[in-house]
Amino acid sequence: MSDEEDRVLRSRRLVSKQCVYSEQGDVARRTEGDRVFRTVRNGLVDLEHVINKKMEMRKKAEHLKNELMKEVDGHLNEFVNNLMEESTVLESMSVAPSFYPGNVEKDGHKLRGPRALLEHGKLFVSRRSLLDELFEVNHIRTIYHMFIALLILFILSTLVVDCIDEGRLVLEFDLLVYVFGKFPIVISTWLCMFLSTFIIPYGLFSVWAQGYRASSHRTIRSIFFGLLFIMFQMLGLGLMPTYFVLHHDLAPASRFIIILEQVRLIMKAHSFVRENVPRIFAFTKEKSSIVPVPQVTQYLYFLFAPTLIYRDSYPRNPSIRWGYVATKFAQVLGCLFYVYYIFVRICIPLFRNISQEPFSLRVLVLSIFNSILPGALVMLLAFFAFLHCWLNAFAEMLRFADRMFYKDWWNSTSFANYYRTWNVVVHDWLYYYAYRDFLWFFGRRFKAAAMLCVFTVSAVVHEYALAISFGFFYPVLFILFMCCGMLFNFILHDRRNGPIWNVIMWTSLFLGQGVLLCLYSQEWYAQRHCPINNPAFVDFLKPRSWTCLQLED
């Protein structure tokens, strides 16, 4: 009896479970049917939901794609850079000098291995300029086209205004004729500077090197020839070009060309001697009978090459693209006319009569902010014309393959990085021959003093070039360089990485260009409107724009 009751109970449980399962299935089917029904009935609502889902998935895919591309790009760049460095090290080990002062520590021990070779000086590798690569991207090239369109508008506005004022087209370019005045004197002065730099430093070094090993008074011999070289640097390349510039009263652009060439040749002569003297010192300890004096052709090539670091040989391209050379020189000419129209349409009307207005803080502030746009344009045009077009044109004619004359300074988030990337050619010279040699001589614990020394040298040379070119002493650039530049170098350092710091850097650059253009333009017109008949020495040091109004009264 009990067995029958158990079977009945089990059968009832099975029936109840089947009923529950069937009810759950019916509910699920009804739910699914209701959902399908709602989809059919409210198709618009569900379609929007699907679209939103797809958009979210697409955003996630784009984000993942960007992250993946950044990761791949970073690894690829690191791999290529390491590969280039290793190949250059292997290439340079057979020709590199065996001794460099930068390889010697304070205690006299030499660094060994590839790392020491990498530290002794700049390694040249074959690479294109950054803008040449960026201009292959249509989006970047459009920015270049925008600048061309702006130049066309400047030209049209000038022609229209001339037609209205004069009743005819005026194509005289008086400003260009004035600033490049007495150009034959510029050419003759440059020839004298170049020939003296080609003959005297190489001759002095060759004579000293040929007799150094056999000399019984090596120290006296080295000091004697060293003093002769320093005298040539100071008198032959230092004072004589400056005297010619002032004696012939050359125009500003003509002066600027001579002063820049003067500085360039001084730096090249120093690099030639600095790189080759250690080779002679090492030669005296070897058994070789061949004195390692560079060939004349190697030195001559270096004088024209777009670098300030001497090497016996550089990476070379197989051929010359004369179309590329013509394009770069045409772009230099276009930038020259661009600057001309900026001054004619913006700067000259702004500052021509400024000395006749009563001075006030409001006038000064308005003048500075009105100068920011032309100052920024002149800065960008100077960079593009010289550091990109001019240097690339000469590099192409010489088949010079290392075109890293600048880096992506526009992406800098710190002034320290900006100083390193704006002008790589000059930065390399200052780093290896001013900063590194200072640390080698005084010790590595004086890094702050070495940095201050580099800033001072750079600021003095910049101010010297402007003072001689303009014909007056007004140390605005020196003060901005030494005060604001040094301050920003420590405040906006390499640990500042956010986009806001790039905005701050650009704002500071634009404001600095406005201050420079405003104050130097005011001083230029003050010097013209308020001449002093018998100036004392103090009058040359005191800015004329501070007292011009009192003199006119």
Side-chain angles (χ1 to χ4, degrees), residues 121 137 399 535 543:
V137 181
R399 296 190 294 116

Side-chain angles (χ1 to χ4, degrees), residues 311-516:
R311 294 290 182 268
D312 288 341
S313 61
Y314 301 93
R316 305 285 290 275
N317 289 331
S319 60
I320 301 175
R321 298 171 294 170
W322 290 107
Y324 180 87
V325 174
T327 301
K328 293 306 166 189
F329 280 129
Q331 288 173 337
V332 171
L333 190 62
C335 291
L336 185 62
F337 279 97
Y338 213 135
V339 174
Y340 164 78
Y341 283 110
I342 288 174
F343 274 90
V344 168
R345 301 304 306 154
I346 301 178
C347 298
I348 292 178
L350 178 63
F351 296 105
R352 178 182 291 160
N353 300 319
I354 198 167
S355 63
Q356 300 175 4
E357 300 178 5
F359 178 80
S360 65
L361 182 61
R362 178 179 179 276
V363 172
L364 178 62
V365 172
L366 288 178
S367 299
I368 290 176
F369 279 97
N370 289 333
S371 302
I372 288 177
L373 176 60
L377 288 175
V378 170
M379 179 194 73
L380 295 175
L381 289 170
F383 158 76
F384 182 74
F386 181 72
L387 290 175
H388 179 69
C389 299
W390 187 265
L391 295 184
N392 268 294
F394 273 88
E396 187 66 30
M397 289 189 293
L398 295 170
R399 296 190 294 116
F400 187 84
D402 193 342
R403 310 290 178 87
M404 196 183 69
F405 309 126
Y406 54 88
K407 298 179 183 177
D408 58 336
W409 58 270
W410 47 86
N411 291 329
S412 298
T413 56
S414 67
F415 271 84
N417 186 67
Y418 167 74
Y419 292 139
R420 290 193 298 266
T421 55
W422 161 262
N423 188 343
V424 175
V425 179
V426 174
H427 171 266
D428 288 341
W429 193 94
L430 290 173
Y431 175 72
Y432 290 111
Y433 303 140
Y435 181 78
R436 287 277 299 273
D437 284 355
F438 187 96
L439 293 181
W440 171 76
F441 190 80
F442 291 102
R444 296 185 179 274
R445 63 181 179 275
F446 293 104
K447 288 186 177 181
M451 186 181 297
L452 179 62
C453 175
V454 171
F455 265 90
T456 304
V457 170
S458 182
V460 168
V461 172
H462 279 80
E463 189 59 46
Y464 161 76
L466 290 184
I468 299 299
S469 300
F470 293 149
F472 57 80
F473 177 73
Y474 196 19
V476 179
L477 180 61
F478 180 83
I479 293 173
L480 289 179
F481 213 111
M482 289 301 296
C483 298
C484 300
M486 283 289 291
L487 183 64
F488 286 147
N489 185 63
F490 289 104
I491 294 177
L492 300 181
H493 47 72
D494 289 331
R495 289 190 292 272
R496 312 289 190 183
N497 295 321
I500 186 62
W501 298 107
N502 183 251
V503 175
I504 293 174
M505 190 211 70
W506 274 107
T507 305
S508 305
L509 280 179
F510 287 160
L511 183 60
Q513 294 301 316
V515 170
L516 291 174

